[in-house]
Amino acid sequence: MSSVPLKLFFDGGCRPNPGRIEIGVVVRGVTHILDDCGHGTNSDAEWLAAIHALRVARDLGASSLDLRGDSALVVGQARGTARCRSAELRAHRDAFQTLAATFETVKIRHVGRSHNLAGIALARLHPR
């Protein structure tokens, strides 16, 4: 029997695009931010955030996950309903799938930006 899924919010971005990547994950009210994950595009950043969410969940000992992010592209690619049109995106998807396979269940769903706690946390780092 599967346990209650651990809910994690993920988001990533870069300034400018492409530029320096920052990612965030929020789980159980705790924010996990990495503010310098190299150089890349917003899509790279979103994928790195989704992968980081899996790592955070693994470190917490979770077996069943409910991932929520505001990138329709990453959610679609992770679900297999959208094509990865570059080698970089395929590499991110493959890394995600490899890590996701270590859990009992991983659900990933799209949420609006205003409902993404990780996106809200990242925005607070850089108010406009």
Side-chain angles (χ1 to χ4, degrees):
M1 178 177 236
S2 182
S3 61
V4 174
L6 180 65
K7 187 186 306 183
L8 300 102
F9 293 87
F10 68 92
D11 195 26
C14 58
R15 293 170 199 235
N17 184 23
R20 187 173 136 242
I21 293 174
E22 60 187 17
I23 61 175
V25 173
V26 174
V27 58
R28 296 180 180 152
V30 178
T31 303
H32 303 264
I33 291 180
L34 299 175
D35 65 357
D36 190 0
C37 297
H39 188 272
T41 67
N42 280 332
S43 294
D44 294 317
E46 293 283 359
W47 266 117
L48 292 175
I51 293 165
H52 186 56
L54 294 176
R55 291 183 180 131
V56 168
R58 178 193 59 205
D59 292 347
L60 292 172
S63 61
S64 184
L65 310 181
D66 178 1
L67 302 178
R68 298 176 183 212
D70 59 31
S71 171
L73 177 72
V74 168
V75 170
Q77 289 173 345
R79 288 179 171 173
T81 58
R83 286 185 49 209
C84 293
R85 298 188 184 269
S86 72
E88 292 82 9
L89 294 178
R90 283 189 294 276
H92 293 315
R93 182 206 52 213
D94 293 348
F96 177 88
Q97 288 177 337
T98 298
L99 191 51
T102 66
F103 295 92
E104 280 181 38
T105 60
V106 175
K107 291 183 181 176
I108 186 167
R109 63 180 82 187
H110 181 261
V111 295
R113 180 129 181 97
S114 64
H115 297 287
N116 186 348
L117 300 180
I120 293 166
L122 285 175
R124 288 182 179 156
L125 286 179
H126 305 288
R128 292 185 183 220

